[in-house]
Amino acid sequence: MRCSTVQSTVGPGDEPCQGTATHLLIGSIRTDAESREPLRDPVCKPCGESYARRPALKARLVPLHVHMTDNMFIETVEGHRLLKDQEHEARCFDCGTTGRVNWFKFQTNGCPGRPESIEVLRHSHDMLHAEPSVRAVETARLWWDYAVDYLHTFVGDWRVVTDDPRYAAYFTFRDREYGVRHDLAGGRFGAEKLPNRGHPEPTITDAELDYKQAVFSFHGRMTDSGSKDFATWTPGHLDINDRELIILYTPEGVIREVLRVPGLRSWAETTGAICDTFGPIQTVKLQTRIYE
């Protein structure tokens, strides 16, 4: 997502900024002596800091996260989610590898920047009929050999387990919790993101309500006084742009961070992006009123 600044504050001349939007400039802008209009512009940090100092604006910068949907990529090849690259035809969004699309098709097998993309591993016939604890240990060993030793996927907090009916190991990758499944169809095994980061499914209040806004609370996001951060997602907002924003607030109602999910995505994809960005969800309250 590009910086929205029409006239770059850091680039040469009067060209539009070509930087990536990493923050949201939130506040209001003076339109005349007595009127102000709300402002929510995605900007790069240098442009945002420059514009925030202008007298006509009453605004501040907050971090902006953008959920990458499938239609943002030119293709997904062997687990690599590809973007256009001016010099090399394609670049993987997750691991940064560059090359021609056909090179990804014939020379790669799984992306080291996305553990869940490694789907080529299969058990032998004998291992399929082995004791679950034996199969779990072998699954963990083979996945580590391929994903870590061969593809150089940098995992953390690696823990092998032998008493779980689904998982052979747990690990973390880029501040996200994963498990290695040993029970996939066709004798396959591979990694997946743990649902809700390994926490129980969140409690949903008024699940049958024809809601306009969902309010989320999270495990671990608590102040010393016991108050919690909360986030709002408003698919019923009149402004189509505001429907794409999930806003994280402090307990006092100050905007802390913003997540943008382009287009109205499914409940599962949206809540998955919220969990990835802000942490495991504890509760969800559906409501017809809109908090802003």
Side-chain angles (χ1 to χ4, degrees):
M1 186 178 184
R2 291 294 185 190
C3 175
S4 62
T5 305
V6 176
Q7 184 176 349
S8 174
T9 63
V10 294
D14 296 330
E15 296 294 323
C17 182
Q18 298 299 310
T20 299
T22 57
H23 289 72
L24 202 65
L25 190 62
I26 294 179
S28 63
I29 183 171
R30 186 174 65 237
T31 55
D32 54 46
E34 298 181 355
S35 302
R36 304 191 70 85
E37 290 185 355
L39 177 73
R40 281 185 182 175
D41 286 349
V43 293
C44 66
K45 190 174 182 181
C47 286
E49 290 176 338
S50 175
Y51 275 90
R53 292 192 293 265
R54 298 192 176 188
L57 269 67
K58 289 183 179 179
R60 63 188 187 91
L61 285 179
V62 297
L64 172 65
H65 312 273
V66 179
H67 172 62
M68 299 295 289
T69 56
D70 289 341
N71 61 355
M72 293 182 174
F73 305 103
I74 57 173
E75 197 171 348
T76 299
V77 179
E78 297 296 334
H80 295 273
R81 300 187 296 177
L82 302 181
L83 300 169
K84 289 184 179 180
D85 186 87
Q86 292 182 349
E87 296 183 10
H88 303 93
E89 184 176 292
R91 172 177 58 84
C92 177
F93 171 77
D94 300 289
C95 70
T97 302
T98 57
R100 300 182 68 84
V101 173
N102 279 340
W103 180 86
F104 284 97
K105 288 181 179 178
F106 298 110
Q107 298 296 324
T108 67
N109 220 327
C111 172
R114 202 160 65 97
E116 62 270 35
S117 72
I118 304 170
E119 301 175 340
V120 298
L121 303 175
R122 284 177 169 80
H123 288 299
S124 66
H125 177 76
D126 291 340
M127 190 52 61
L128 286 176
H129 296 88
E131 291 292 326
S133 60
V134 174
R135 188 169 67 244
V137 171
E138 183 66 1
T139 297
R141 183 187 70 81
L142 292 174
W143 194 90
W144 177 280
D145 286 349
Y146 186 77
V148 179
D149 290 343
Y150 180 69
L151 290 183
H152 305 296
T153 303
F154 296 104
V155 307
D157 194 22
W158 176 259
R159 293 165 290 143
V160 178
V161 293
T162 59
D163 57 353
D164 192 295
R166 301 179 69 188
Y167 296 106
Y170 298 107
F171 65 92
T172 57
F173 179 80
R174 295 178 181 171
D175 190 38
R176 188 63 168 88
E177 296 78 7
Y178 285 78
V180 178
R181 291 277 299 273
H182 62 73
D183 64 339
L184 299 177
R188 296 182 300 112
F189 57 96
E192 68 176 14
K193 290 180 179 178
L194 291 180
N196 205 27
R197 293 178 175 254
H199 288 262
E201 287 297 305
T203 302
I204 302 179
T205 304
D206 295 328
E208 302 301 322
L209 190 68
D210 186 14
Y211 66 97
K212 292 183 178 179
Q213 185 178 70
V215 181
F216 300 83
S217 70
F218 303 91
H219 293 280
R221 282 191 172 270
M222 184 179 295
T223 65
D224 294 338
S225 63
S227 301
K228 292 183 177 182
D229 288 354
F230 63 95
T232 61
W233 174 43
T234 315
H237 203 288
L238 293 176
D239 189 326
I240 190 170
N241 294 317
D242 284 345
R243 297 176 193 173
E244 300 180 343
L245 301 181
I246 295 92
I247 303 174
L248 181 69
Y249 294 89
T250 66
E252 297 76 25
V254 178
I255 296 176
R256 187 189 294 277
E257 298 177 53
V258 175
L259 165 67
R260 179 174 178 255
V261 180
L264 276 179
R265 317 302 295 183
S266 68
W267 174 267
E269 183 173 353
T270 301
T271 54
I274 293 171
C275 178
D276 286 348
T277 306
F278 299 140
I281 301 168
Q282 186 173 22
T283 64
V284 184
K285 181 182 179 182
L286 305 180
Q287 57 189 31
T288 54
R289 69 182 184 89
I290 293 178
Y291 175 87
E292 289 186 293

